[in-house]
Structure formats: structure tokens, C-alpha cells
Amino acid sequence: MALREKVFVLSSKLTEVPSDLTGNIEFISGNPDKVLEIIQSQGFSNLYIDGGMVIQSFLASDLIDELIITRIPILLGSGIPLFGELIEPLKFTHKNTEVYDNSLVKSHYVRTR
């Protein structure tokens, strides 16, 4: 089976796909369960979720199976927090950590259910 790549964009502001990317990008909206239903109906099962508010909504719906967090040693001082309020704690188990260029630290965690 050939690997298919597609980008699903969850945005309330963007509505137009650049002409050179038509067919590779699809705008969708809805709550995380609805978004997952749409994506899975097209045969996709492994998703990369990105963006502060999107990550928070998928975490709040307990739809994240793995976390890969890369830390860069630059303090911005503002922005959208990666993790928002949760009804109850979500437990993850550390899988591994890698350091790149003696600077970037990438940690991989798997959801413990």
C-alpha cells in the first residue's frame, strides 16, 4: 500500500489553498471528535497534531496517543501555552529523549491508558 500524504488544516481564518498545493491540503473544522471522524473516513489513521489551541482541544478530548515535544533553549516570554486546562490528568510514559546540536532536546512520550 502506497503511503499518502495530506495536510488537513484546522483554521477559522484560512479558506483558500494555494493553487500549487490543491489536492494535498484540505480545510476542515469542528470539534476534535468530528475532525477525527472526517479524517478517518478518508483512510488516514496516524495524524500529526500541531498548534497550541489545536493540541489543547485534542488533549482535552483525550485523543492524543503520543507526544513528541522538542524544546529549544530560547525563552519567548509569551504565546499560547502548549498544555491548557484539563478535567483530569493525562498520564504519559517516557519512551526516549534525543539531543541535537547540543541544544535542541526532543522527548517522546506514549499515553498510558
Side-chain angles (χ1 to χ4, degrees):
M1 183 169 134
L3 202 58
R4 297 184 300 160
E5 291 186 23
K6 189 167 188 174
V7 175
F8 295 94
V9 177
L10 284 67
S11 177
S12 57
K13 297 177 183 167
L14 299 174
T15 57
E16 191 173 316
V17 176
S19 60
D20 60 327
L21 297 175
T22 302
N24 294 334
I25 295 177
E26 180 179 335
F27 291 101
I28 56 177
S29 62
N31 65 47
D33 290 311
K34 181 65 176 171
V35 166
L36 197 57
E37 180 183 318
I38 292 167
I39 292 171
Q40 288 177 333
S41 74
Q42 295 186 33
F44 295 95
S45 59
N46 293 315
L47 309 174
Y48 176 84
I49 307 297
D50 201 0
M53 297 304 292
V54 175
I55 291 170
Q56 288 180 25
S57 67
F58 275 74
L59 282 169
S61 295
D62 198 9
L63 294 173
I64 301 290
D65 295 322
E66 296 183 50
L67 288 173
I68 297 175
I69 301 172
T70 303
R71 294 174 304 284
I72 302 169
I74 298 172
L75 299 178
L76 300 176
S78 64
I80 298 171
L82 183 58
F83 308 109
E85 295 287 326
L86 296 171
I87 294 172
E88 58 185 61
L90 302 178
K91 183 170 174 53
F92 287 82
T93 303
H94 177 258
K95 189 170 178 182
N96 71 325
T97 294
E98 299 173 70
V99 178
Y100 298 94
D101 293 328
N102 201 31
S103 182
L104 301 174
V105 179
K106 182 175 100 173
S107 297
H108 186 176
Y109 302 90
V110 177
R111 179 79 166 96
T112 304
R113 297 192 187 273

